[in-house]
Amino acid sequence: MKLKEIEKILGAEIITGAELREKNIEMACGSDLMSDVLSFMKSESLLLTGLTNLQVVRTAEMSDLAAVCFVRGKKPDREIIEMAESKNIPLMTTPLPMFESCGRLYQEGLSGCSEYKR
Amino acid sequence: MPSDSRISKVQELIYEIRVGEVMKTDPVTVTPQMPMSQLREILREKRISGTPVVKGDTLAGIISIEDFIKWLADREPDCPISEKMSKDVQTLYADEPLTQAVNKFEQYGFGRFPVIDRESQKLRGIITKGAIVEGLLRKLEIDHIEEEQVYRRRIKHFFEDILADRVSLFFRYEVAGQDFKRAGEGASRLKSSLRRLGLDPQIIRRVAIATYEAEMNLIIYTKGGRIRVRVEPQEIVVRVEDSGPGIPDVEKAMQPGYSTAPEWVRELGFGAGMGLTNIRKCASRMGLHSAVGKGTTLNIHIVVENGVTRGTEGIDSAA
């Protein structure tokens, strides 16, 4: 699924990395616990999270994540956006809460990290 | 690269590149006998605004959309193209440098110039401003990619180029305790460096995640410490050291979910007692030694099965 399709399904706004709209997202995961993200998320996946701190971008960087989407309309600070920009990690924000964001994407056929087979 | 050196690169290129390299070959042509009324279809269909008129192999003239509009406006009867074309055609030779073409575009203000062969005087192609821009961009891109490849090749063969019984690279990163703003900077810099060495992306990922977790531990629980990394063709060892407070019960600390982290750490998405478990998962081998009041040393070994220099070619370009 392309990033621009996710943008549409979630009614999301791309905060940074709009030029990467064509990027392919293979799977997704929703978590506020960065240790869990580091532990079981696979590379090239989308992280949905309610956290908006620098550690989210750092975690995305370390795990080679494809993009990060903040749920419930949260927006990160300038500093966080700048770091994501420098690491080429697209950030977006959706007004939907976590459960609904995950549900809609899953319904549209995006896999979870545990069931995805390369 | 600063922008002024890019400009001089373009200047260099317009002397270096020949007209023949950027011209469009096999251009659409018309014959002198073709009636003017047919020209419209050709210009429209091929989306061009002018075309050389060719008799046999030789250039007889050039006809443009302006000539066609003039003919329409004058409401003259249909006639062969040869009566309306410009016969005094400005041309370029295929072996001339691009700078000649640029000068001619400036001098005459035409949209296109036919390109002919210096010896046979036959039409070889057509050049437009668009073709020049495209040609320059292509060349700049190729040069840039080549530069980058040379750089990557050089650094990738770093280990092979050094003659020794054992080759190791050492990196060291200092980590300040409680400094959440800079948390992960060490792991990030290490990750970029390993990428430049051309290691397998999955190996890099394991090293980066393990180092990041260990760095978070230094920041959360200690007054700071250092990360030392030894990269060898067959193994990467990350040693994380601090000078206290130390872990009273190492066995307990290793249990998944066991945590002594304060609430503010949990709010940042850490401190759930998964750090050491994650590190162990990423490592081929791990050693944790701690003495209360003295400090903790964590050794993370990651074995590179194929050897460092044989890492996959597909290093992703993301920084």
Side-chain angles (χ1 to χ4, degrees):
Chain A
M1 189 179 283
K2 291 203 165 137
L3 191 63
K4 63 177 183 188
E5 294 170 65
I6 290 169
E7 181 190 6
K8 210 173 149 196
I9 294 166
L10 297 180
E13 175 201 333
I14 298 192
I15 302 165
T16 176
E19 70 283 359
L20 297 167
R21 270 201 179 85
E22 295 295 323
K23 194 171 183 178
N24 230 2
I25 308 284
E26 301 284 354
M27 57 202 138
C29 165
S31 180
D32 288 346
L33 187 55
M34 293 305 114
S35 271
D36 275 353
V37 173
L38 289 164
S39 173
F40 67 72
M41 269 189 84
K42 292 175 182 155
S43 43
E44 299 314 309
S45 46
L46 167 79
L47 168 65
L48 293 132
T49 185
L51 276 191
T52 49
N53 58 46
L54 277 174
Q55 264 49 58
V56 173
V57 177
R58 279 284 183 226
T59 299
E61 179 197 356
M62 298 307 153
S63 302
D64 297 327
L65 302 187
V68 176
C69 181
F70 301 106
V71 297
R72 276 198 12 219
K74 288 181 186 170
K75 276 186 190 169
D77 293 344
R78 190 68 238 154
E79 201 182 356
I80 295 162
I81 298 171
E82 275 165 17
M83 188 191 280
E85 240 163 32
S86 73
K87 308 285 176 199
N88 271 323
I89 301 166
L91 298 181
M92 51 211 260
T93 178
T94 172
L96 298 174
M98 178 71 104
F99 182 73
E100 283 160 50
S101 305
C102 296
R104 286 200 193 180
L105 290 175
Y106 199 75
Q107 199 169 26
E108 294 290 333
L110 193 64
S111 309
C113 282
S114 72
E115 59 185 9
Y116 182 80
K117 300 269 181 293
R118 276 189 205 272
Chain B
M1 204 178 275
S3 58
D4 51 344
S5 76
R6 269 287 171 214
I7 291 167
S8 69
K9 181 81 192 165
V10 170
Q11 282 167 342
E12 215 175 273
L13 284 175
I14 64 168
Y15 284 96
E16 200 180 286
I17 304 176
R18 306 282 137 179
V19 167
E21 290 174 62
V22 304
M23 70 180 184
K24 192 178 172 294
T25 50
D26 295 322
V28 179
T29 60
V30 291
T31 61
Q33 300 83 28
M34 183 185 279
M36 281 300 277
S37 54
Q38 275 185 31
L39 189 61
R40 196 183 91 177
E41 265 314 287
I42 291 171
L43 296 182
R44 197 177 62 95
E45 214 172 87
K46 309 283 182 194
R47 292 168 173 273
I48 51 175
S49 55
T51 169
V53 185
V54 173
K55 192 179 178 185
D57 265 344
T58 25
L59 187 67
I62 193 155
I63 187 110
S64 69
I65 201 155
E66 289 87 6
D67 300 322
F68 180 75
I69 291 169
K70 189 172 178 304
W71 170 73
L72 272 185
D74 292 348
R75 293 173 183 278
E76 285 182 46
D78 206 0
C79 64
I81 285 176
S82 59
E83 285 181 25
K84 299 290 165 196
M85 69 185 186
S86 331
K87 292 187 183 92
D88 180 22
V89 187
Q90 286 298 323
T91 58
L92 284 158
Y93 291 122
D95 59 4
E96 282 182 295
L98 266 196
T99 170
Q100 289 290 351
V102 172
N103 288 342
K104 268 206 164 140
F105 275 109
E106 244 169 56
Q107 193 183 338
Y108 292 95
F110 295 159
R112 71 209 65 76
F113 289 100
V115 180
I116 55 175
D117 192 87
R118 195 183 285 276
E119 265 119 58
S120 65
Q121 296 288 309
K122 282 179 186 163
L123 181 72
R124 294 251 327 253
I126 195 155
I127 189 162
T128 58
K129 282 183 192 169
I132 294 179
V133 171
E134 240 172 70
L136 282 173
L137 287 177
R138 210 165 42 228
K139 195 84 177 182
L140 279 174
E141 195 183 11
I142 290 169
D143 281 2
H144 182 65
I145 290 169
E146 277 173 0
E147 254 172 50
E148 211 143 80
Q149 277 172 346
V150 167
Y151 173 71
R152 276 196 178 165
R153 218 175 293 138
R154 205 177 57 209
I155 205 151
K156 260 178 114 166
H157 292 276
F158 184 83
F159 283 102
E160 287 170 16
D161 287 347
I162 291 171
L163 305 173
D165 291 331
R166 184 173 166 183
V167 184
S168 306
L169 270 176
F170 282 98
F171 310 122
R172 181 170 161 160
Y173 303 95
E174 304 291 336
V175 181
Q178 314 294 309
D179 188 357
F180 254 96
K181 276 246 144 88
R182 294 183 56 204
E185 222 170 69
S188 172
R189 286 159 74 201
L190 172 62
K191 190 176 186 196
S192 305
S193 307
L194 295 181
R195 241 187 197 145
R196 286 194 193 145
L197 283 171
L199 267 72
D200 182 292
Q202 286 308 316
I203 295 281
I204 296 176
R205 190 169 183 263
R206 282 166 60 197
V207 175
I209 291 176
T211 307
Y212 181 43
E213 286 280 15
E215 190 177 355
M216 290 308 291
N217 282 347
L218 284 185
I219 290 161
I220 297 168
Y221 301 104
T222 77
K223 290 199 172 72
R226 66 211 63 82
I227 300 170
R228 278 190 278 206
V229 186
R230 190 180 75 213
V231 181
E232 292 185 356
Q234 306 300 329
E235 189 185 46
I236 298 166
V237 183
V238 181
R239 171 178 280 214
V240 186
E241 282 173 310
D242 64 68
S243 42
I247 305 168
D249 190 339
V250 171
E251 210 174 298
K252 218 171 184 182
M254 296 285 284
Q255 279 170 18
Y258 176 81
S259 176
T260 57
E263 192 51 38
W264 63 272
V265 173
R266 291 173 195 254
E267 277 166 21
L268 289 163
F270 285 88
M274 293 306 292
L276 287 170
T277 310
N278 276 356
I279 295 170
R280 183 154 53 189
K281 204 173 135 188
C282 291
S284 310
R285 195 150 52 84
M286 178 178 121
L288 179 65
H289 309 280
S290 189
V292 175
K294 283 188 179 161
T296 304
T297 304
L298 173 68
N299 289 312
I300 306 161
H301 297 254
I302 292 170
V303 174
V304 184
E305 265 123 41
N306 301 323
V308 162
T309 51
R310 263 174 275 155
T312 50
E313 287 294 324
I315 318 160
D316 37 340
S317 52

